[in-house]
Amino acid sequence: MDSLRILLFALAYVRLSYGAVSLAPQGPTLEKGMTEDIVILCTYSGDDDLRPQWRDPQNNVVPLAGTGVSGGVAVTHPTTTITKLEITNPQESHEGQYTCFTTDGEQKSINLVLYPPLELEADSPQSFEIYRNARVLCKVNSKANVLYEWKFGELAIAGTNAKYNIEHKEYLEIVNISSQDDGTYECSATETTGLVASDSIDIRVEVLVPPKITLGPEDFNGTEGKNAEFKCIATGNPPPVLRWTTSGNQVIESTDRFTIEDSGEKLIINDLRKADEGSYICTATVEKLTITAQRVATLRVFIPPVVQEGIEKSALENSRETLSCNTVSGDKSELTWRRFGEDMPVGVQPTAADIEVQSLQDGSRLDLIFSSVKRSYNGSYECFAKNAGGEASAISNLTVNFPPVIDKKRQDQQGAYTGWIGNEMTLTCYWLANPPAQYYWVIKRNTQVTNLTDISDPVFTVFSTADGASSVSFTPGKSEDFSVYTCYAYNVIDGVEQVAQHNIDFRSAGAPDAPNVEVDTNRPTSITLRIEEPEYTGGLDIISYNITWKFESRGEEVVKYEVFDYKNEDDEDFERYVIEGLDSEKPYKIQVAAKNEYILGEQSEEVIGRTLSSRPPYAPKITSPQTSESETEYTLEWEEPADNGGAEIEAYYIQYWEYDPNRPNEVIENGDKSSVQKVDKVYRKHIIPELEKATDYKVEIWASSTLGDGNRDIIAFKTAGKKNLPTESVGLEKGTIIGIVIAAFLIVLIVVDISCCIVNDCGMTMCLCVHCCGRQAPGTKATEVELGEGEAGKGKVTYSEIREDGDGSAPSDPPVEKDKLIGSNQGPAE
């Protein structure tokens, strides 16, 4: 037993002394792509002197790195027990079994499988004729099993159907391809074995559409010396190529007279000649297709009239002048004088009695006569001639000369000139003159008149513009610079100098007076002021108001102010300005000062405004119209409340209902109020959806804060459209139905009553009383009849008793006459 134990220990010792080999990665198979370097570690756990080695798939020992004979495969020894196998730039020849071994017989192998990168190959674009079956090719390079997928834009093509066939792996078949199939297709492939790599490629599919001319050249009647233009627009895919030819099949190229523009869509023939007459053909072709489209147009060239050249004529204001219009060649023409593009009829002009058009020489000459030239007649006049061959015109210009005068319209718009020391100023005179005037400026100081060009302090810069404005620019430096400035304008007419002058009073600006201020409205957090503009504004426009307010806070007086831009928007003589962000229930002392471009004026007298106590917000102001452009929606717009009542607005609430404009205070049936809709406080607009078209509604809105719900604003509106009329039946209101039933009942009652009266000598109501209440019929009431003397002992018998004892019918001969009834004042019956 002890000997066996010793033997086992010996064997274990021997085994441990030899060691073991392990690989990382372990194997037995390692799959890698050819795009990355490969490293395999072999570790020996035995004797340190036994360094592992590697054998390649050809059973050759892999050399050490750096020996120059590795062929991309080499080993290194990071430690004495680890050997690293490195394969750089892996190739298909590197596949196979690699074995790590030691000299003591230990070894372990790993099978290396290499996959080339997955690659897709496809031409792009690929072109196919419309309405044919198209095969879009897409090839893949991979030794693994591959799954193909196709997409058109964002649409995945799933399986084979009536439009697509993807059973063949290397192409997508599109059945009866159309223009809608033109676009980009994505071919993607995924390896289902090996490294399971994937790749995709975009393929542009171009659907070839035969050319079609949608706008062809039209026949053209041209004028000699003018231009002719033909247009030809064609559709197709790719866009058609357009070519122009003559009737002799001569291709037209661009020259000095023939111009082809817009990729052939436009042919322009310049300076038309008689020889240009004939047919012009537009031919459209599509690349890769043999089908063409053609359209033919005919050109005719006519000779136009020639008008005598226009003249330039100068005239004095109020003088008499004549302009003549003649043709010098061409067919007989219709002549017309035009101004501003409008025809001037023959005879005295409707808008100017001193202008007359006269036709002379059987219409071959047309005179334009001005009996008294006005300034407004200055300008161009067109002599226009037209015949079957075309039209022509010539421009004559009438220049009206007059001495300089002030252009009152522009000068009055300028207004007064006011400035201050140190502020640059420009004074301008606006003149009218022909010929254009020359200008100069003078200033009158005390009694001395001086030309501004002779003054060096301040520096005066005089300049003018072509529209008749003469200006002087300077910076006043002393009080005497505020004075009367005179601008002179002069021109020369017929050798005589014409001179005119205009005075400008340049005044010094001042501070505005204090404005008149009143408290207009008090609210919990704001005070509205009504401010009247000062009577004296310092000679300048008011640009702002400085509003100062004082109040007590923790026993101390606090002063705040704010600058408000001048509004000048109300029709009244005052403006309203709102001081916001105030505390509630607090008095404020308020003063206002007006400011012009120069200086801030005096403050107004102090007014007291007291804010109101805190309360829920004021009502928002609805600004949206009372009609909706939509049939089913209404956009409600509003402005925030004039005052939040002393607490921040938390939200807006909206409620609406259908109503009848004829009963505005009633909610109509099926028109109950909607649920309350909450809107965030930042919004000023809300869309009310799901409304009925052509229907009247009311909507109200209110703001809410921590102090509660505020006042409400309400508006009535109507949706767009027309109500649909019922097609089968018209519904009746309850009141109408009840009225019809009552009327029918009354008619039946009257008919029955008449029938009873005819049959029973009493109406239906009396019949009911007789049979149900024991009442007597009208024919039997107390009409007792006294019988004759022979029947006296039998007493009195009434008419009703005789009827009841008989057969129920009235006797043909009543025993008494009607005037012998008992109870009457007559004597006994005979």
Coordinates of all heavy atoms in Angstrom, one line a residue, residues 226-264:
K226 N -36.6 93.9 -86.3 CA -36.9 93.6 -84.9 C -36.4 92.1 -84.6 O -35.7 91.5 -85.5 CB -38.4 93.7 -84.6 CG -38.9 95.1 -84.8 CD -38.3 96.1 -83.8 CE -38.9 97.5 -83.9 NZ -38.3 98.4 -83.0
N227 N -36.8 91.6 -83.5 CA -36.4 90.2 -83.2 C -37.6 89.3 -83.2 O -38.7 89.7 -82.9 CB -35.7 90.2 -81.8 CG -34.5 91.1 -81.7 OD1 -33.9 91.4 -82.7 ND2 -34.1 91.5 -80.5
A228 N -37.3 88.0 -83.4 CA -38.3 87.0 -83.3 C -37.9 86.0 -82.2 O -36.7 85.7 -82.1 CB -38.5 86.3 -84.6
E229 N -38.8 85.5 -81.5 CA -38.5 84.5 -80.4 C -39.4 83.3 -80.5 O -40.6 83.5 -80.5 CB -38.6 85.2 -79.1 CG -38.3 84.4 -77.9 CD -38.3 85.1 -76.6 OE1 -37.6 86.1 -76.4 OE2 -39.1 84.7 -75.7
F230 N -38.8 82.1 -80.5 CA -39.6 80.9 -80.4 C -39.2 80.2 -79.1 O -38.0 80.1 -78.7 CB -39.2 80.0 -81.6 CG -39.6 80.6 -83.0 CD1 -38.7 81.2 -83.8 CD2 -40.9 80.5 -83.4 CE1 -39.0 81.8 -85.0 CE2 -41.3 81.1 -84.6 CZ -40.3 81.7 -85.4
K231 N -40.2 79.6 -78.5 CA -40.0 78.8 -77.3 C -40.4 77.3 -77.5 O -41.4 77.0 -78.2 CB -40.8 79.3 -76.1 CG -40.3 80.7 -75.6 CD -41.1 81.1 -74.4 CE -40.5 82.4 -73.8 NZ -41.3 82.8 -72.6
C232 N -39.6 76.4 -76.9 CA -39.9 75.0 -77.1 C -39.5 74.4 -75.7 O -38.4 74.4 -75.3 CB -39.0 74.4 -78.2 SG -39.4 72.6 -78.5
I233 N -40.5 73.8 -75.1 CA -40.3 73.2 -73.8 C -40.7 71.7 -73.9 O -41.8 71.4 -74.4 CB -41.1 73.9 -72.6 CG1 -40.6 75.3 -72.5 CG2 -40.9 73.2 -71.3 CD1 -41.3 76.2 -71.5
A234 N -39.8 70.8 -73.4 CA -40.1 69.4 -73.5 C -39.9 68.7 -72.2 O -39.1 69.2 -71.4 CB -39.3 68.7 -74.6
T235 N -40.6 67.6 -72.0 CA -40.4 66.8 -70.8 C -39.8 65.5 -71.1 O -39.9 65.1 -72.3 CB -41.7 66.6 -70.0 OG1 -42.6 65.9 -70.9 CG2 -42.3 67.9 -69.6
G236 N -39.2 64.8 -70.2 CA -38.6 63.5 -70.4 C -37.6 63.3 -69.3 O -37.3 64.2 -68.5
N237 N -37.0 62.1 -69.2 CA -36.0 61.8 -68.2 C -34.9 60.9 -68.8 O -35.3 59.9 -69.3 CB -36.6 61.2 -67.0 CG -35.7 61.2 -65.8 OD1 -35.1 62.2 -65.5 ND2 -35.5 60.1 -65.2
P238 N -33.7 61.4 -68.7 CA -33.2 62.7 -68.2 C -33.7 63.8 -69.1 O -34.3 63.6 -70.2 CB -31.7 62.6 -68.3 CG -31.4 61.5 -69.3 CD -32.6 60.5 -69.3
P239 N -33.6 65.1 -68.6 CA -34.1 66.2 -69.4 C -33.7 66.1 -70.8 O -32.5 65.9 -71.1 CB -33.5 67.4 -68.6 CG -33.3 66.9 -67.2 CD -32.9 65.5 -67.4
P240 N -34.7 66.4 -71.7 CA -34.3 66.2 -73.2 C -33.3 67.3 -73.6 O -33.2 68.4 -73.1 CB -35.7 66.4 -73.8 CG -36.7 66.2 -72.8 CD -36.1 66.7 -71.5
V241 N -32.6 66.9 -74.7 CA -31.7 67.8 -75.4 C -32.5 68.4 -76.6 O -33.1 67.6 -77.4 CB -30.5 67.1 -75.9 CG1 -29.6 68.0 -76.7 CG2 -29.7 66.5 -74.7
L242 N -32.5 69.7 -76.7 CA -33.3 70.4 -77.7 C -32.4 70.9 -78.9 O -31.3 71.4 -78.6 CB -34.1 71.6 -77.2 CG -35.1 71.2 -76.1 CD1 -35.8 72.4 -75.5 CD2 -36.2 70.2 -76.6
R243 N -32.9 70.7 -80.1 CA -32.1 71.1 -81.3 C -33.0 71.8 -82.2 O -34.2 71.4 -82.4 CB -31.5 69.9 -81.9 CG -30.6 70.2 -83.1 CD -30.0 69.0 -83.8 NE -31.1 68.2 -84.3 CZ -31.0 67.1 -85.0 NH1 -29.8 66.6 -85.2 NH2 -32.0 66.4 -85.5
W244 N -32.5 72.9 -82.8 CA -33.3 73.7 -83.8 C -32.8 73.5 -85.2 O -31.5 73.5 -85.4 CB -33.3 75.2 -83.4 CG -34.0 75.5 -82.2 CD1 -33.5 75.6 -80.9 CD2 -35.4 75.9 -82.1 NE1 -34.5 75.9 -80.0 CE2 -35.7 76.1 -80.7 CE3 -36.4 76.0 -83.0 CZ2 -36.9 76.5 -80.2 CZ3 -37.7 76.4 -82.5 CH2 -37.9 76.6 -81.2
T245 N -33.7 73.3 -86.1 CA -33.3 73.2 -87.6 C -34.2 74.0 -88.4 O -35.3 74.3 -88.0 CB -33.3 71.7 -88.0 OG1 -34.6 71.2 -87.8 CG2 -32.3 70.9 -87.3
T246 N -33.8 74.3 -89.6 CA -34.7 74.9 -90.6 C -35.4 73.9 -91.4 O -35.2 72.7 -91.3 CB -33.9 75.9 -91.5 OG1 -33.0 75.1 -92.3 CG2 -33.1 76.9 -90.7
S247 N -36.3 74.4 -92.3 CA -37.0 73.4 -93.2 C -36.1 72.7 -94.1 O -36.5 71.6 -94.6 CB -38.1 74.2 -94.0 OG -37.5 75.3 -94.7
G248 N -34.9 73.2 -94.4 CA -33.9 72.5 -95.2 C -33.1 71.6 -94.3 O -32.0 71.2 -94.8
N249 N -33.5 71.3 -93.1 CA -32.7 70.4 -92.2 C -31.4 70.9 -91.9 O -30.4 70.2 -91.5 CB -32.6 69.0 -92.8 CG -32.5 67.9 -91.7 OD1 -32.9 68.1 -90.6 ND2 -31.8 66.8 -92.0
Q250 N -31.2 72.2 -91.9 CA -29.9 72.9 -91.5 C -30.0 73.2 -90.0 O -30.9 73.8 -89.5 CB -29.7 74.2 -92.3 CG -28.4 74.9 -91.9 CD -28.2 76.2 -92.7 OE1 -29.1 76.5 -93.6 NE2 -27.2 76.9 -92.4
V251 N -29.0 72.6 -89.3 CA -28.9 72.8 -87.9 C -28.6 74.3 -87.6 O -27.6 74.8 -88.1 CB -27.9 71.9 -87.2 CG1 -27.8 72.2 -85.7 CG2 -28.3 70.4 -87.5
I252 N -29.3 74.9 -86.6 CA -29.1 76.3 -86.3 C -28.2 76.3 -85.1 O -28.4 75.7 -84.0 CB -30.4 77.0 -85.9 CG1 -31.4 76.9 -87.1 CG2 -30.2 78.4 -85.5 CD1 -32.7 77.5 -86.9
E253 N -27.1 77.1 -85.2 CA -26.1 77.3 -84.1 C -26.2 78.8 -83.8 O -26.6 79.6 -84.5 CB -24.7 76.9 -84.6 CG -24.6 75.5 -85.1 CD -24.6 74.5 -83.9 OE1 -24.6 74.9 -82.8 OE2 -24.8 73.2 -84.2
S254 N -25.7 79.1 -82.5 CA -25.7 80.5 -82.1 C -24.7 81.3 -82.9 O -23.5 80.9 -83.0 CB -25.3 80.5 -80.6 OG -26.4 80.1 -79.8
T255 N -25.2 82.4 -83.5 CA -24.3 83.3 -84.2 C -24.6 84.7 -83.7 O -25.3 84.9 -82.7 CB -24.6 83.2 -85.7 OG1 -25.9 83.6 -86.0 CG2 -24.3 81.8 -86.2
D256 N -24.2 85.7 -84.5 CA -24.5 87.1 -84.1 C -25.9 87.5 -84.3 O -26.5 88.4 -83.6 CB -23.6 88.1 -84.9 CG -23.8 87.9 -86.4 OD1 -24.3 86.8 -86.8 OD2 -23.4 88.8 -87.2
R257 N -26.6 86.7 -85.2 CA -28.1 87.0 -85.4 C -29.0 85.9 -84.8 O -30.1 86.2 -84.5 CB -28.4 87.1 -86.9 CG -27.8 88.4 -87.5 CD -28.2 88.5 -89.0 NE -29.7 88.6 -89.1 CZ -30.4 87.7 -89.7 NH1 -29.8 86.7 -90.3 NH2 -31.7 87.8 -89.8
F258 N -28.5 84.7 -84.7 CA -29.3 83.6 -84.1 C -28.7 83.3 -82.7 O -27.5 83.0 -82.6 CB -29.2 82.4 -85.0 CG -30.0 82.6 -86.3 CD1 -29.3 83.2 -87.4 CD2 -31.3 82.1 -86.5 CE1 -30.0 83.4 -88.6 CE2 -31.9 82.3 -87.7 CZ -31.3 82.9 -88.7
T259 N -29.6 83.3 -81.7 CA -29.2 83.1 -80.4 C -30.0 81.9 -79.8 O -31.3 82.0 -79.9 CB -29.3 84.3 -79.5 OG1 -28.6 85.4 -80.1 CG2 -28.8 84.1 -78.1
I260 N -29.4 80.9 -79.2 CA -30.1 79.8 -78.5 C -29.8 79.9 -77.0 O -28.6 79.9 -76.6 CB -29.6 78.5 -79.1 CG1 -30.0 78.4 -80.6 CG2 -30.3 77.3 -78.3 CD1 -29.5 77.1 -81.2
E261 N -30.9 80.1 -76.2 CA -30.7 80.2 -74.8 C -31.5 79.2 -74.0 O -32.3 78.4 -74.6 CB -31.3 81.6 -74.4 CG -30.5 82.8 -75.0 CD -31.1 84.1 -74.6 OE1 -32.2 84.1 -73.9 OE2 -30.5 85.2 -74.9
D262 N -31.2 79.2 -72.7 CA -32.0 78.3 -71.8 C -31.9 76.8 -72.2 O -32.9 76.1 -72.3 CB -33.4 78.7 -71.6 CG -33.5 80.1 -71.0 OD1 -32.6 80.6 -70.4 OD2 -34.6 80.7 -71.2
S263 N -30.7 76.4 -72.6 CA -30.5 75.0 -73.0 C -31.3 74.6 -74.2 O -31.8 73.4 -74.3 CB -30.8 74.0 -71.8 OG -29.9 74.3 -70.7
G264 N -31.5 75.5 -75.1 CA -32.2 75.2 -76.3 C -33.7 75.5 -76.3 O -34.4 75.4 -77.3

